[in-house]
Short mmCIF file of all heavy atoms in Angstrom, two decimals:
data_model
loop_
_atom_site.label_atom_id
_atom_site.label_comp_id
_atom_site.label_asym_id
_atom_site.label_seq_id
_atom_site.Cartn_x
_atom_site.Cartn_y
_atom_site.Cartn_z
N ARG A 127 116.56 90.90 82.96
CA ARG A 127 116.72 90.08 84.17
C ARG A 127 115.62 90.45 85.16
O ARG A 127 115.44 91.60 85.49
CB ARG A 127 118.08 90.33 84.81
CG ARG A 127 119.22 89.82 83.89
CD ARG A 127 120.57 89.88 84.55
NE ARG A 127 120.58 89.07 85.76
CZ ARG A 127 121.46 89.27 86.73
NH1 ARG A 127 122.38 90.19 86.63
NH2 ARG A 127 121.41 88.53 87.81
N VAL A 128 114.93 89.42 85.60
CA VAL A 128 113.81 89.62 86.55
C VAL A 128 114.39 90.18 87.86
O VAL A 128 115.38 89.69 88.38
CB VAL A 128 113.10 88.29 86.83
CG1 VAL A 128 112.09 88.44 87.94
CG2 VAL A 128 112.45 87.81 85.53
N GLY A 129 113.73 91.25 88.35
CA GLY A 129 114.09 91.83 89.64
C GLY A 129 115.19 92.90 89.60
O GLY A 129 115.52 93.46 90.63
N LEU A 130 115.77 93.14 88.44
CA LEU A 130 116.81 94.16 88.35
C LEU A 130 116.36 95.25 87.36
O LEU A 130 115.95 94.92 86.26
CB LEU A 130 118.13 93.54 87.89
CG LEU A 130 118.74 92.54 88.88
CD1 LEU A 130 119.97 91.93 88.28
CD2 LEU A 130 119.04 93.20 90.19
N PRO A 131 116.43 96.49 87.74
CA PRO A 131 116.87 96.96 89.05
C PRO A 131 115.83 96.66 90.11
O PRO A 131 114.64 96.50 89.82
CB PRO A 131 117.01 98.48 88.83
CG PRO A 131 116.02 98.80 87.78
CD PRO A 131 115.98 97.58 86.87
N VAL A 132 116.29 96.54 91.33
CA VAL A 132 115.39 96.25 92.45
C VAL A 132 114.38 97.39 92.60
O VAL A 132 114.75 98.56 92.56
CB VAL A 132 116.20 96.09 93.76
CG1 VAL A 132 115.28 95.95 94.95
CG2 VAL A 132 117.09 94.84 93.66
N GLN A 133 113.13 97.03 92.73
CA GLN A 133 112.05 98.00 92.92
C GLN A 133 111.69 98.06 94.39
O GLN A 133 112.12 97.26 95.19
CB GLN A 133 110.83 97.57 92.10
CG GLN A 133 111.10 97.35 90.62
CD GLN A 133 111.49 98.64 89.92
OE1 GLN A 133 110.79 99.61 90.04
NE2 GLN A 133 112.59 98.61 89.21
N CYS A 134 110.84 98.97 94.75
CA CYS A 134 110.41 99.09 96.15
C CYS A 134 109.28 98.10 96.41
O CYS A 134 109.05 97.19 95.65
CB CYS A 134 109.99 100.51 96.49
SG CYS A 134 108.48 101.02 95.70
N ALA A 135 108.56 98.30 97.50
CA ALA A 135 107.45 97.41 97.92
C ALA A 135 107.97 96.13 98.51
O ALA A 135 107.53 95.05 98.18
CB ALA A 135 106.47 97.17 96.79
N GLU A 136 108.95 96.24 99.41
CA GLU A 136 109.52 95.07 100.05
C GLU A 136 108.70 94.56 101.21
O GLU A 136 108.90 93.44 101.66
CB GLU A 136 110.95 95.35 100.55
CG GLU A 136 111.94 95.60 99.43
CD GLU A 136 112.04 97.07 99.05
OE1 GLU A 136 111.37 97.92 99.63
OE2 GLU A 136 112.81 97.35 98.10
N TYR A 137 107.79 95.34 101.72
CA TYR A 137 107.00 94.98 102.91
C TYR A 137 105.80 94.12 102.52
O TYR A 137 105.08 94.45 101.58
CB TYR A 137 106.52 96.21 103.64
CG TYR A 137 105.48 95.96 104.69
CD1 TYR A 137 105.85 95.40 105.90
CD2 TYR A 137 104.13 96.22 104.46
CE1 TYR A 137 104.91 95.13 106.88
CE2 TYR A 137 103.18 95.97 105.40
CZ TYR A 137 103.57 95.42 106.62
OH TYR A 137 102.61 95.13 107.57
N ILE A 138 105.62 93.04 103.23
CA ILE A 138 104.44 92.18 103.08
C ILE A 138 103.82 92.01 104.46
O ILE A 138 104.48 91.47 105.37
CB ILE A 138 104.76 90.81 102.46
CG1 ILE A 138 105.36 90.97 101.09
CG2 ILE A 138 103.51 89.95 102.41
CD1 ILE A 138 105.78 89.67 100.45
N PRO A 139 102.57 92.41 104.68
CA PRO A 139 101.93 92.19 105.98
C PRO A 139 101.76 90.71 106.25
O PRO A 139 101.54 89.93 105.31
CB PRO A 139 100.59 92.93 105.87
CG PRO A 139 100.37 93.13 104.42
CD PRO A 139 101.71 93.09 103.73
N LEU A 140 101.80 90.30 107.51
CA LEU A 140 101.63 88.89 107.84
C LEU A 140 100.33 88.32 107.35
O LEU A 140 100.24 87.14 107.03
CB LEU A 140 101.77 88.69 109.35
CG LEU A 140 103.18 88.69 109.91
CD1 LEU A 140 103.19 88.36 111.39
CD2 LEU A 140 104.10 87.74 109.14
N VAL A 141 99.27 89.13 107.28
CA VAL A 141 97.99 88.63 106.83
C VAL A 141 98.07 88.15 105.38
O VAL A 141 97.28 87.33 104.96
CB VAL A 141 96.82 89.64 107.01
CG1 VAL A 141 96.61 89.96 108.46
CG2 VAL A 141 97.09 90.91 106.21
N LEU A 142 99.06 88.67 104.60
CA LEU A 142 99.24 88.23 103.21
C LEU A 142 100.46 87.34 103.03
O LEU A 142 100.61 86.72 101.97
CB LEU A 142 99.39 89.45 102.30
CG LEU A 142 98.19 90.39 102.21
CD1 LEU A 142 98.53 91.58 101.30
CD2 LEU A 142 96.99 89.65 101.67
N ALA A 143 101.31 87.25 104.05
CA ALA A 143 102.58 86.54 103.89
C ALA A 143 102.36 85.07 103.54
O ALA A 143 103.15 84.48 102.83
CB ALA A 143 103.41 86.67 105.15
N GLY A 144 101.26 84.46 104.00
CA GLY A 144 101.00 83.08 103.68
C GLY A 144 100.62 82.87 102.23
O GLY A 144 100.72 81.76 101.71
N GLU A 145 100.18 83.92 101.58
CA GLU A 145 99.77 83.84 100.17
C GLU A 145 100.94 84.10 99.21
O GLU A 145 100.85 83.80 98.05
CB GLU A 145 98.65 84.84 99.88
CG GLU A 145 97.40 84.56 100.67
CD GLU A 145 96.33 85.59 100.43
OE1 GLU A 145 96.30 86.17 99.35
OE2 GLU A 145 95.54 85.82 101.37
N VAL A 146 102.03 84.64 99.74
CA VAL A 146 103.22 84.92 98.92
C VAL A 146 104.26 83.87 99.26
O VAL A 146 104.67 83.73 100.40
CB VAL A 146 103.77 86.35 99.24
CG1 VAL A 146 105.04 86.59 98.47
CG2 VAL A 146 102.73 87.38 98.93
N GLN A 147 104.65 83.09 98.26
CA GLN A 147 105.57 82.00 98.49
C GLN A 147 107.01 82.51 98.40
O GLN A 147 107.67 82.44 97.39
CB GLN A 147 105.32 80.92 97.47
CG GLN A 147 103.94 80.32 97.59
CD GLN A 147 103.66 79.24 96.54
OE1 GLN A 147 104.60 78.75 95.94
NE2 GLN A 147 102.42 78.92 96.34
N ALA A 148 107.49 83.03 99.56
CA ALA A 148 108.84 83.57 99.62
C ALA A 148 109.73 82.61 100.36
O ALA A 148 109.38 82.17 101.49
CB ALA A 148 108.86 84.93 100.31
N PRO A 149 110.88 82.23 99.82
CA PRO A 149 111.80 81.37 100.56
C PRO A 149 112.37 82.16 101.75
O PRO A 149 112.45 83.37 101.73
CB PRO A 149 112.88 81.04 99.54
CG PRO A 149 112.86 82.16 98.59
CD PRO A 149 111.44 82.62 98.54
N GLU A 150 112.74 81.45 102.78
CA GLU A 150 113.26 82.08 103.99
C GLU A 150 114.48 82.95 103.67
O GLU A 150 114.70 84.00 104.28
CB GLU A 150 113.64 81.03 105.04
CG GLU A 150 113.92 81.60 106.42
CD GLU A 150 112.75 82.38 107.03
OE1 GLU A 150 111.60 82.02 106.82
OE2 GLU A 150 113.04 83.34 107.78
N ALA A 151 115.30 82.55 102.67
CA ALA A 151 116.46 83.34 102.29
C ALA A 151 116.09 84.71 101.74
O ALA A 151 116.91 85.62 101.73
CB ALA A 151 117.30 82.58 101.27
N ALA A 152 114.85 84.88 101.31
CA ALA A 152 114.41 86.16 100.75
C ALA A 152 113.80 87.10 101.80
O ALA A 152 113.49 88.23 101.54
CB ALA A 152 113.40 85.94 99.65
#
């Protein structure tokens, strides 16, 4: 199962946030 177990690295700087397509719920 993708994403399990949950790994670290949850922080994304705003300068990269536009390049990562994360839904608002995430």
